[in-house]
Amino acid sequence: MFHDLSRLVRADAAPPTSPAYDVRALRWLEHPGYLRARRLLEATDARTLDDQVALTAVPAPPFHESERGRVMAGMMRECGLEVSEPDAVGNVVGWFPESGAWTPGAAAPAPLVVSAHLDTVFPPGTRIEVEREGDLLRAPGIADDARGLTALLALTRAAREAALDFDSPLLVVATVGEEGAGDLRGVRHLFSPRGALRAGCAAFLSLDGAGIRRIVNVGLGSLRYRATVRGPGGHSWVDYGTPNPIHALARALDNLTRVPLPTVPSTTLSIGRWGGGTSVNAIPTEAWVEFEVRSEAEVELSRMDLEIRSILDRVSGSDPGGRGELVLTLDRLGRRPAGGTPAHHPVVESALAATRALGVSPELAISSTDANLPMSLGVPAITLGAGGDAGQAHTPGEWYRNVKGPDGIARALLTLLLLDGR
Amino acid sequence: MFHDLSRLVRADAAPPTSPAYDVRALRWLEHPGYLRARRLLEATDARTLDDQVALTAVPAPPFHESERGRVMAGMMRECGLEVSEPDAVGNVVGWFPESGAWTPGAAAPAPLVVSAHLDTVFPPGTRIEVEREGDLLRAPGIADDARGLTALLALTRAAREAALDFDSPLLVVATVGEEGAGDLRGVRHLFSPRGALRAGCAAFLSLDGAGIRRIVNVGLGSLRYRATVRGPGGHSWVDYGTPNPIHALARALDNLTRVPLPTVPSTTLSIGRWGGGTSVNAIPTEAWVEFEVRSEAEVELSRMDLEIRSILDRVSGSDPGGRGELVLTLDRLGRRPAGGTPAHHPVVESALAATRALGVSPELAISSTDANLPMSLGVPAITLGAGGDAGQAHTPGEWYRNVKGPDGIARALLTLLLLDGR
């Protein structure tokens, strides 16, 4: 998901205005097929919300997305998509039979991909009961990303019933593992040598959460680690001289926070949690810490990974005093590649023009979503909200308000039409 | 209690041999009254163990020693001691009616004091059931310090029945708050302006746990702290720049571990526990740490207290970035004064000679006991074991084996007789 927070809007990114894309977008607004598709989106808005509620009600905890994947695949087939069996990690891939011919793994013609993610952040057993008051829906995962999944279905139905056909193959994909520890494993698999997109794609458009203004064209990369330092421990006085894991880790962490970080590309290091030790008068046997690096640039992540390993490796030491040594374990909890799609790339231009055509002033944004992965591979990718407003994501109080819901889906559809080249 | 661990034996302290004290000690071995007292200790050994079991069975958690204090006061009266009401903190003070006349707070003649501590380390509700196999007793607190308390009773009975009278007033004291967070509050009160020993004493002899070899003549002082750093917290990326309590505390802790510590007098600093933070991708709102300084020398503790405050005060800061500031709270969890009684002081010489007279080779030791407080005030003080062997102190598996139990008590009695000046 991407958070609706000010730091996510790029200060340097006054969106470009490209008359050519705007002209084409405005022409589409009068196209009978697109007009009919928008009317259908409005007319079936209640059904779209019903779908959103139904999908939210199917639990999809991290690493347990298969049930929701099965339900989603059924709904995709009902919309008329060709849907293959879930892939090795659980992604569901469908495609428009009317669009350019495509089979999984085909190199050409390069497909357009629109996707959303199946997984939520909520653990198994989380109570999910959708509360509904008019156009306000409240439930864990109701927006992130049940809204995106629902938009895939509504977009497909509207495009097919309006007989909008595409020259490019058009793929509709539901991914696993977008959130947290999932570490983008769904989209990672799609672009891997055994994935459906192993031959790449023309553009990758992720629908994640609510909103109609933002266009994420920079993928914030991140590295997450857990470092654990273990030693023999002992009594604070009797065993003094025995290496102390907390002393060693405090030094390493202080050194970490002294590593210079560039502001352009924006890069951060934050220590989130630490723990260890059992008593004020004992040398601990263990100390641990979890920390994170984020950056707009892949090269900074790679540099920081080396810096981190170099600094922490110094903790594991020889044993000059004969009192035992400290042993470091460094686990990488996650690695999200950084990447970006330039503001003047046709994918971004198309989304900007589509947003403006619907009467909304667009904003370029930075976030961490499924689009990070294709961006890091040089595949043009963006992430859009799927209409409506939302808040309290990743909490049990998550809500979605259906304001301009159909317009959000119409924006994604128009972006795809512009990318299809006409 | 004092731990039976090698670092507690002072490497530089080959005990002095003073023929004069040894001659007097050997003369006492043939004294009819002392001979009779030793025979009584042997003859009533079973009763002494019964007392030890009975006292162990009365819970005395930290800050909840009053019930055991009441039971101990009754047993002290049964031995024929004059016993005053428990003082303001719960110490029980008794005195030999046959010894030099004394009333609480009296300045002269200066009394001899023999003491043990009422409190255990075990929290309320700890199951205490004494297991007995022959001369092996097993229960929480069975040695530390039920053995010391029991020795006070046996010593009193033997001395009175053997009609050993003392020129000096002889005080028998059961203290509260020796362990951990008790922070020596019992003995601290005794020597305070409202305590029974406000006018001082000629010598303070603490019986703590088991053993017959060690003589603690150096009181290891300690300082214990808990530092907590609080800040506004936030999202690791969106709120980057908000001060991070873990970053600040890691730097302060690293600085702390860089403060040079003398090896003579031996001084240590050990960080025992830390914690804080809730998520790898959040700036924590709080980080905390608990650490400890120990030293043989009071001046080093005072110096370190200043160093610690100076280093940690730098954590609390101004707010240059306008993103909120960090606030440090430094709580001192405990302060045990350091001190020592020189190896050639009559109190130590008497204990060394008494130990040798009983056929045991003495060792001078360093530990942290009730004796720290009088030592820090310049009052001659030592701590002795009360006979027997023991292990697993401060754990539910604590045990006491009654090997040379009566000799341990006879050693304390002989030390007092030598100190009484004859």
Side-chain angles (χ1 to χ4, degrees):
Chain A
M1 65 92 58
F2 64 96
H3 290 274
D4 183 26
L5 292 160
S6 59
R7 192 176 152 89
L8 302 180
V9 179
R10 306 185 64 205
D12 60 332
T17 314
S18 275
Y21 283 87
D22 286 322
V23 167
R24 289 175 53 218
L26 293 173
R27 204 174 299 148
W28 271 109
L29 285 192
E30 293 164 12
H31 182 280
Y34 184 70
L35 275 170
R36 181 160 147 72
R38 285 193 72 183
R39 279 197 301 272
L40 285 162
L41 286 172
E42 294 287 349
T44 60
D45 193 29
R47 177 181 173 179
T48 300
L49 289 187
D50 288 344
D51 282 355
Q52 192 170 336
V53 169
L55 281 163
T56 301
V58 183
F63 300 95
H64 295 91
E65 304 98 334
S66 59
E67 176 61 12
R68 186 179 284 185
R70 200 184 56 72
V71 171
M72 183 68 185
M75 293 168 92
M76 285 163 69
R77 284 194 188 93
E78 277 175 32
C79 294
L81 292 173
E82 301 279 342
V83 180
S84 56
E85 286 302 297
D87 68 17
V89 299
N91 297 310
V92 177
V93 177
W95 59 96
F96 271 59
E98 291 84 0
S99 69
W102 185 81
T103 52
L112 298 175
V113 180
V114 59
S115 85
H117 67 88
L118 290 163
D119 57 311
T120 71
V121 298
F122 302 99
T126 300
R127 188 162 164 248
I128 302 170
E129 207 162 292
V130 182
E131 288 175 34
R132 222 172 148 159
E133 307 163 30
D135 60 2
L136 179 71
L137 306 177
R138 192 182 291 272
I142 187 69
D144 180 17
D145 188 22
R147 181 62 192 172
L149 294 171
T150 305
L152 296 183
L153 301 172
L155 181 151
T156 301
R157 274 195 302 264
R160 293 197 70 238
E161 288 183 30
L164 285 168
D165 54 349
F166 288 81
D167 287 342
S168 308
L170 179 56
L171 267 57
V172 176
V173 179
T175 62
V176 298
E178 191 269 347
E179 299 284 5
D183 211 24
L184 307 186
R185 80 181 187 292
V187 69
R188 218 180 274 277
H189 181 79
L190 285 176
F191 286 93
S192 77
R194 295 177 55 205
L197 300 177
R198 58 186 174 270
C201 62
F204 187 94
L205 174 55
S206 175
L207 303 183
D208 202 340
I212 193 169
R213 184 178 301 279
R214 301 255 163 92
I215 297 158
V216 175
N217 72 318
V218 176
L220 184 63
S222 63
L223 287 163
R224 290 177 176 181
Y225 303 85
R226 183 181 172 101
T228 307
V229 182
R230 295 186 180 85
H235 186 276
S236 60
W237 169 263
V238 176
D239 301 312
Y240 190 71
T242 298
N244 184 316
I246 289 184
H247 293 204
L249 197 48
R251 179 152 308 170
L253 295 180
D254 185 39
N255 287 336
L256 268 189
T257 63
R258 291 174 191 270
V259 174
L261 299 174
T263 48
V264 181
S266 187
T267 303
T268 64
L269 180 142
S270 178
I271 305 172
R273 300 171 66 204
W274 66 7
T278 53
S279 168
V280 65
N281 63 346
I283 298 167
T285 56
E286 186 180 303
W288 60 265
V289 64
E290 289 181 3
F291 59 96
E292 178 193 83
V293 172
R294 298 198 182 205
S295 181
E296 294 174 0
E298 188 61 18
V299 64
E300 288 301 321
L301 294 180
S302 301
R303 184 180 71 82
M304 285 304 294
D305 188 58
L306 289 174
E307 291 268 21
I308 286 162
R309 288 171 193 284
S310 157
I311 287 170
L312 284 166
D313 275 353
R314 284 178 240 151
V315 170
S316 294
S318 57
D319 180 18
R323 290 179 165 274
E325 60 183 26
L326 297 180
V327 177
L328 169 85
T329 311
L330 183 63
D331 296 314
R332 205 160 70 183
L333 304 179
R335 170 83 166 92
R336 291 190 170 225
T341 305
H344 284 289
H345 189 282
V347 172
V348 181
E349 295 271 26
S350 297
L352 288 167
T355 307
R356 281 191 291 260
L358 292 168
V360 176
S361 173
E363 283 176 348
L364 294 184
I366 175 167
S367 188
S368 176
T369 65
D370 265 350
N372 279 45
L373 198 279
M375 286 173 180
S376 76
L377 300 174
V379 172
I382 53 173
T383 295
L384 304 178
D389 284 341
Q392 292 179 256
H394 293 198
T395 78
E398 184 174 345
W399 58 266
Y400 170 82
R401 188 184 297 277
N402 194 40
V403 177
K404 293 197 181 184
D407 276 6
I409 304 169
R411 171 169 79 138
L413 177 57
L414 182 48
T415 303
L416 290 168
L417 288 166
L418 289 169
L419 282 170
D420 195 42
R422 289 178 295 180
Chain B
M1 64 91 59
F2 64 94
H3 289 274
D4 182 28
L5 291 162
S6 60
R7 192 176 152 89
L8 302 181
V9 179
R10 306 186 65 206
D12 60 331
T17 315
S18 276
Y21 283 87
D22 285 324
V23 167
R24 287 176 55 217
L26 293 172
R27 203 176 298 149
W28 270 108
L29 285 192
E30 292 164 13
H31 181 282
Y34 184 69
L35 275 170
R36 183 161 147 67
R38 285 194 72 185
R39 278 198 302 273
L40 283 162
L41 287 172
E42 293 288 348
T44 59
D45 193 29
R47 176 179 175 182
T48 300
L49 289 188
D50 288 344
D51 283 355
Q52 193 169 335
V53 169
L55 280 164
T56 301
V58 183
F63 300 95
H64 294 91
E65 305 98 334
S66 59
E67 176 61 13
R68 187 179 283 186
R70 200 183 55 73
V71 171
M72 183 67 186
M75 293 168 92
M76 286 162 69
R77 284 196 187 93
E78 277 174 32
C79 294
L81 292 173
E82 302 279 343
V83 179
S84 57
E85 287 302 298
D87 68 17
V89 298
N91 297 308
V92 176
V93 178
W95 58 97
F96 272 58
E98 293 85 358
S99 70
W102 183 83
T103 50
L112 297 174
V113 180
V114 58
S115 84
H117 67 86
L118 290 163
D119 57 311
T120 71
V121 298
F122 302 100
T126 300
R127 189 163 164 248
I128 302 170
E129 205 162 292
V130 183
E131 288 175 34
R132 221 170 149 160
E133 308 163 28
D135 60 1
L136 180 70
L137 306 177
R138 194 183 289 273
I142 185 69
D144 180 17
D145 189 23
R147 180 63 191 171
L149 294 171
T150 305
L152 296 184
L153 301 172
L155 182 152
T156 301
R157 275 196 300 266
R160 294 197 69 238
E161 288 182 31
L164 285 168
D165 54 350
F166 288 79
D167 287 343
S168 308
L170 179 57
L171 266 58
V172 176
V173 179
T175 60
V176 298
E178 192 270 345
E179 300 283 5
D183 211 25
L184 307 186
R185 80 181 187 292
V187 69
R188 219 181 273 276
H189 181 78
L190 284 177
F191 287 93
S192 77
R194 295 179 55 205
L197 300 178
R198 58 186 173 268
C201 62
F204 187 95
L205 175 54
S206 173
L207 303 184
D208 200 342
I212 193 172
R213 185 179 300 280
R214 301 256 164 90
I215 296 159
V216 175
N217 72 319
V218 176
L220 182 64
S222 64
L223 287 164
R224 290 178 176 178
Y225 303 86
R226 182 181 173 100
T228 307
V229 181
R230 295 186 180 86
H235 187 275
S236 59
W237 169 264
V238 177
D239 300 312
Y240 190 70
T242 298
N244 184 316
I246 290 185
H247 293 204
L249 197 49
R251 178 152 307 169
L253 295 180
D254 185 39
N255 287 336
L256 268 189
T257 65
R258 290 174 191 270
V259 174
L261 300 173
T263 49
V264 181
S266 187
T267 303
T268 65
L269 179 141
S270 179
I271 305 172
R273 302 170 65 203
W274 67 7
T278 52
S279 169
V280 66
N281 64 345
I283 298 167
T285 55
E286 186 181 301
W288 60 266
V289 64
E290 290 181 2
F291 59 95
E292 177 193 83
V293 173
R294 298 199 182 204
S295 181
E296 295 173 359
E298 188 61 17
V299 63
E300 288 301 321
L301 294 180
S302 300
R303 183 180 72 83
M304 284 304 294
D305 188 58
L306 289 175
E307 290 268 21
I308 286 162
R309 287 170 196 284
S310 157
I311 286 169
L312 284 167
D313 275 353
R314 283 178 240 153
V315 169
S316 293
S318 57
D319 179 18
R323 288 179 166 275
E325 60 184 23
L326 298 179
V327 177
L328 169 86
T329 310
L330 183 64
D331 295 314
R332 204 159 72 182
L333 303 179
R335 170 84 167 90
R336 292 189 168 225
T341 305
H344 284 290
H345 189 281
V347 172
V348 182
E349 294 271 28
S350 298
L352 288 166
T355 308
R356 281 191 290 260
L358 292 169
V360 175
S361 172
E363 283 176 350
L364 294 183
I366 175 168
S367 188
S368 177
T369 65
D370 265 349
N372 279 46
L373 197 279
M375 286 172 180
S376 77
L377 299 175
V379 173
I382 55 174
T383 296
L384 303 178
D389 285 341
Q392 292 180 255
H394 292 197
T395 79
E398 184 174 345
W399 57 267
Y400 170 82
R401 188 184 296 279
N402 194 41
V403 178
K404 294 198 179 183
D407 277 6
I409 303 169
R411 172 170 78 138
L413 177 58
L414 183 48
T415 304
L416 290 168
L417 288 166
L418 289 169
L419 282 170
D420 195 40
R422 287 176 298 180

